[in-house]
């Protein structure tokens, strides 16, 4: 084979080879909100553009109120995985656990729309055993939905006691330290952790050693996410995806792919399949 032919075949290979560079990593963003105060300045089509330009292959979206999520689903059903947030507005964040009107709200939405999860909701300690939260756990079980819970380890334990078969996505990995996250993952095989809004696991192109150990021990249990908890956060979706690709590149490629998107796809695969039936 001549040099020219060698070069030609190498060039052809480069054209057909699957993308392996970290810069091309698709991202499953497990923590997107499209709440009422974001709608005016960022209409659904523009929000979808932001996600697509960022290389987001799928986004778990929940909104205060749920209408925001429905608008995104309508605009891009292939991209948006809808999660039912028990908040009709931002004001419900801290009161929903004691607000009995949340229950009919959830039941009504579940009857009218399809979801893959209930959450993200905030719950701490003994509040997780209040009747409204118990009903949310029951509804998730009845509808085969993941629970996306932002809370402490005590609350997560209580949710699992109510339904040992629950699948829980622990928002922000509980904002707790790697040793505590490890203990929870070891104890609960149906617990996944999102890494939204924290930079201690990875940042600046590097993964912290204790988190590297955790990712290596539990390669199937971590997901990344932006957390657009205020409208301004939408400006960082692209930046967040690039930043995440940066530190994920510090991991072995197969592990980086799992955390970037494959774990999200796997977690919701059964729910997605059920939605298509
Ligand atoms: Zn959030």
């Amino acid at each position: 084979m001549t040099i020219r032919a060698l070069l030609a075949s190498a060039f052809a290979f480069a054209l057909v080879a699957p993308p392996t560079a970290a810069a091309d990593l698709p991202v499953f963003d497990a923590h997107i909100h499209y709440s009422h105060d974001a709608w005016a300045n960022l209409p659904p089509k523009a929000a979808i553009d932001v996600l697509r330009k960022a290389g987001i292959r799928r986004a778990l979206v929940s909104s205060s109120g749920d209408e925001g999520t429905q608008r995104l689903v309508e605009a891009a059903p292939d991209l948006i995985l809808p999660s039912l947030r028990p908040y009709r507005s931002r004001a419900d964040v801290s009161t929903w656990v004691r607000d009995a009107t949340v229950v009919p709200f959830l039941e009504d939405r579940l009857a009218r729309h399809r979801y893959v999860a209930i959450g993200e909701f905030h719950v701490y300690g003994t509040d997780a055993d209040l009747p409204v939260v118990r009903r949310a756990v029951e509804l998730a079980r009845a509808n085969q939905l993941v629970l996306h819970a932002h809370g402490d380890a005590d609350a997560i334990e209580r949710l699992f006691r109510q339904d040992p078969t629950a699948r829980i996505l622990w928002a922000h990995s509980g904002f707790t330290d790697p040793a505590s996250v490890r203990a929870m993952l070891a104890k609960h095989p149906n617990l996944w952790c999102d890494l939204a809004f924290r930079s201690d696991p990875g940042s600046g192109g590097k993964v912290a050693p204790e988190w590297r150990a955790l990712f290596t021990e539990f390669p199937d249990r971590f997901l990344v996410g932006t957390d657009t908890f205020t409208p301004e956060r939408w400006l960082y979706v692209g930046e967040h995806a690039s930043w995440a690709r940066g530190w994920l590149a510090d991991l072995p490629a197969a592990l980086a792919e799992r955390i970037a998107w494959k774990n999200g796809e796997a977690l919701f695969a059964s729910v997605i399949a059920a939605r298509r039936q």
Side-chain angles (χ1 to χ4, degrees):
M1 198 183 265
T2 65
I3 295 284
R4 179 178 293 203
L6 267 176
L7 283 174
S9 68
F11 184 63
F13 175 76
L15 284 178
V16 297
T20 51
D24 298 323
L25 256 191
V27 169
F28 183 116
D29 196 312
H31 206 126
I32 292 286
H33 306 295
Y34 185 57
S35 294
H36 53 87
D37 41 11
W39 303 343
N41 289 325
L42 191 74
K45 282 204 162 50
I48 295 301
D49 274 355
V50 167
L51 296 171
R52 294 213 195 274
K53 278 186 189 138
I56 307 297
R57 66 170 281 145
R58 235 186 278 271
L60 179 67
V61 177
S62 60
S63 312
S64 323
D66 187 57
E67 195 52 38
T69 299
Q70 299 310 323
R71 289 180 194 177
L72 291 193
V73 170
E74 200 176 317
D78 61 311
L79 178 65
I80 304 300
L81 293 180
S83 180
L84 176 56
R85 196 166 217 204
Y87 308 160
R88 290 145 298 188
S89 78
R90 201 174 282 292
D92 286 340
V93 172
S94 53
T95 53
W96 80 279
V97 291
R98 289 184 174 78
D99 182 349
T101 67
V102 166
V103 171
F105 166 74
L106 291 176
E107 291 170 343
D108 174 61
R109 300 304 289 192
L110 287 167
R112 286 202 280 151
H113 301 288
R114 301 185 112 180
Y115 300 92
V116 299
I118 291 180
E120 178 205 20
F121 54 77
H122 298 70
V123 68
Y124 298 90
T126 54
D127 281 0
D129 284 328
L130 289 169
V132 174
V133 184
R134 286 182 174 277
R135 184 65 186 137
V137 173
E138 282 173 12
L139 288 169
R141 171 161 43 188
N143 292 277
Q144 294 184 290
L145 304 177
V146 171
L147 290 164
H148 193 191
H150 178 150
D152 53 2
D154 183 22
I156 300 298
E157 293 286 8
R158 288 169 192 274
L159 299 178
F160 273 127
R161 275 202 286 279
Q162 290 167 38
D163 179 10
T165 68
R167 288 173 295 176
I168 299 179
L169 176 58
W170 199 8
H172 316 286
S173 305
F175 280 127
T176 191
D177 59 283
S180 306
V181 175
R182 191 199 169 278
M184 289 295 282
L185 286 173
K187 186 172 174 188
H188 300 291
N190 282 349
L191 180 67
W192 286 260
C193 292
D194 86 37
L195 299 164
F197 205 68
R198 56 189 300 173
S199 55
D200 50 324
S203 200
K206 290 281 165 223
V207 173
E210 58 274 29
W211 284 93
R212 177 185 295 273
L214 208 46
F215 296 153
T216 305
E217 186 176 359
F218 300 99
D220 301 331
R221 314 280 284 281
F222 288 95
L223 292 75
V224 294
T226 306
D227 197 358
T228 50
F229 60 91
T230 60
E232 305 80 62
R233 293 280 301 169
W234 274 90
L235 300 172
Y236 299 107
V237 170
E239 197 176 305
H240 175 272
S242 307
W243 169 85
R245 289 182 186 103
W247 64 257
L248 286 166
D250 192 32
L251 296 170
L255 181 55
E257 281 185 339
R258 284 177 165 186
I259 298 171
W261 65 276
K262 287 186 173 172
N263 290 346
E265 290 293 319
L267 170 57
F268 291 101
S270 60
V271 189
I272 293 166
R275 281 171 76 224
R276 290 201 178 119
Q277 280 165 13

